[in-house]
């Protein structure tokens, strides 16, 4: 049987870590790499790079031929308009699916969606992730598929949550959202382990699955800050950022993006996501389906992410 896994998004935060885990587990990886990101891929035994993109159907056919499974980690996480997100998260996924469905036998298919897909009304990003899931369900025919909905993922190489933890390390915690809001988190290596469990399970009921770390019920801002405070043995001052301020910056970002054509992270939709009160996810269905369970509590994930090291032996 083929040991080749086709991976998209291999040059991104999650995809790069996943490729390392797949290779370490003995899988061969065929990775889609955009020409502009080719320098990010080093020559490694078991790893084959396919130059192309989600806009280039021919490269997608080369990517998936003969693969036993496809793990789709490529995604647009920044952008100003619905078109910015849909071009990758909906139409790119549809193009990839067309390539996969042409294969015989058909590989299994895992797509990284997002917990944001649960509330598509909040942002162009969330809407594109929900539309991606719907396209997958509608097009899959008899192909086995899963869409994973991770909450906020953190780990080495992450650019979104890392700055927040770096501020906390300096003693200031910017609070981006309501104080009563709750969020689930997931350390990136637990997400990679979930993908490996799915591969090793051999089969899994097709559908959408949520996942999160060891903390059932998620965290409040105060709980996250308290954990960092204990880990760093320092006082951390909360700095709640007013929604109005962030909305103004977000509106400016969108205008600037229109003028100079860049993909902003902080947009009005992102502010609505940040102010959403409930981003708590639930592992139950995924654990029942493939047996995966997270093993990294926030403290341990943070130590590995921030290089804070393991605690020494008790004195
Ligand atoms: N990070 C999180 O907290 C989180 C949470 C939930 C879900 N997710 C989902 O997980 C996936 C990966 O997220 P991430 O944080 O790893 O994002 P990331 O670091 O921004 O990586 C995105 C990856 O997608 C690739 N990509 C983007 N557009 C492409 C296109 N048109 N054709 C081919 N490749 C393309 C990028 O390639 P280049 O290197 O060439 O740009 C990069 O490899 C996304 O679908 C995201 O929605 C992430």
């Amino acid at each position: 049987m083929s040991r080749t896994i086709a991976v998209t998004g291999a040059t991104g935060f999650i995809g790069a870590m996943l490729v390392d885990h797949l290779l370490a587990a003995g899988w061969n990886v065929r990775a889609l790499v955009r020409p502009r990101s080719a320098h990010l891929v080093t020559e490694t035994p078991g790893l084959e790079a396919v130059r192309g993109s989600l806009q280039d159907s021919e490269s997608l056919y080369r990517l998936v031929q003969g693969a036993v499974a496809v793990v789709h980690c490529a995604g647009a996480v920044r952008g100003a308009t619905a078109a910015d997100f849909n071009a990758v998260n909906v139409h790119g996924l549809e193009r990839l699916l067309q390539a996969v469905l042409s294969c015989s036998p058909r590989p299994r298919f895992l797509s990284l969606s997002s917990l944001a897909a649960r509330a598509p009304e909040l942002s162009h990003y969330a809407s594109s992730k929900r539309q991606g899931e719907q396209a997958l369900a509608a097009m899959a025919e008899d192909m086995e598929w899963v869409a994973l909905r991770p909450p906020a993922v953190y780990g080495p190489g992450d650019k979104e949550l890392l700055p927040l933890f770096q501020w906390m390390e300096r003693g200031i915690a910017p609070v981006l959202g309501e104080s009563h809001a709750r969020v689930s988190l997931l350390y990136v290596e637990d997400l990679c382990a979930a993908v490996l469990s799915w591969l090793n399970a051999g089969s899994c009921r097709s559908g959408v699955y949520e996942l999160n770390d060891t903390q059932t019920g998620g965290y409040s801002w105060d709980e996250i800050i308290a954990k960092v405070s204990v880990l760093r043995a320092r006082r951390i001052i909360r700095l709640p950022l007013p929604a109005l301020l962030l909305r103004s910056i977000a509106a400016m970002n969108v205008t600037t993006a229109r003028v100079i054509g860049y993909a902003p992270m902080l947009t009005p939709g992102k502010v609505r996501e940040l102010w959403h009160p409930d981003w708590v996810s639930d592992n139950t269905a995924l654990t029942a389906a493939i047996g995966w369970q997270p093993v990294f509590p926030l403290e341990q994930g943070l130590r590995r992410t921030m290089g804070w090291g393991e605690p020494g032996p008790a004195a």
Side-chain angles (χ1 to χ4, degrees), residues 9-15 32 34 36-37 40 53-55 73-75 77 88 112-114 125 129 150-153:
T11 50
F13 157 50
I14 295 171
L32 181 70
R34 291 200 276 190
R36 68 173 200 195
S37 307
L40 298 172
S53 81
L54 292 170
Q55 276 68 39
C73 299
V77 297
V88 179
L112 280 193
S113 181
S114 166
Y125 171 72
K129 293 310 256 185
V153 182

Side-chain angles (χ1 to χ4, degrees), residues 122-161:
L122 291 180
S123 66
H124 296 316
Y125 171 72
S127 168
S128 71
K129 293 310 256 185
R130 172 67 80 88
Q131 289 178 62
E133 290 177 356
Q134 288 168 338
L136 181 50
M139 289 175 69
E141 300 172 4
D142 62 351
M143 180 184 73
E144 186 198 311
W145 64 274
V146 300
L148 296 186
R149 284 184 176 177
V153 182
Y154 68 98
D158 158 44
K159 294 192 187 75
E160 314 305 334
L161 287 176

Side-chain angles (χ1 to χ4, degrees), residues 242-286:
L244 190 61
L245 171 69
L246 290 182
R247 271 191 226 116
S248 308
I249 299 170
M252 273 189 309
N253 282 349
V254 171
T255 309
T256 315
R258 251 185 233 126
V259 177
I260 62 169
Y262 84 111
M265 175 48 79
L266 189 67
T267 59
K270 180 55 76 180
V271 178
R272 284 191 292 277
E273 286 178 27
L274 288 167
W275 256 257
H276 189 64
D278 174 17
W279 286 126
V280 175
S281 46
D282 181 357
N283 287 326
T284 314
L286 189 63

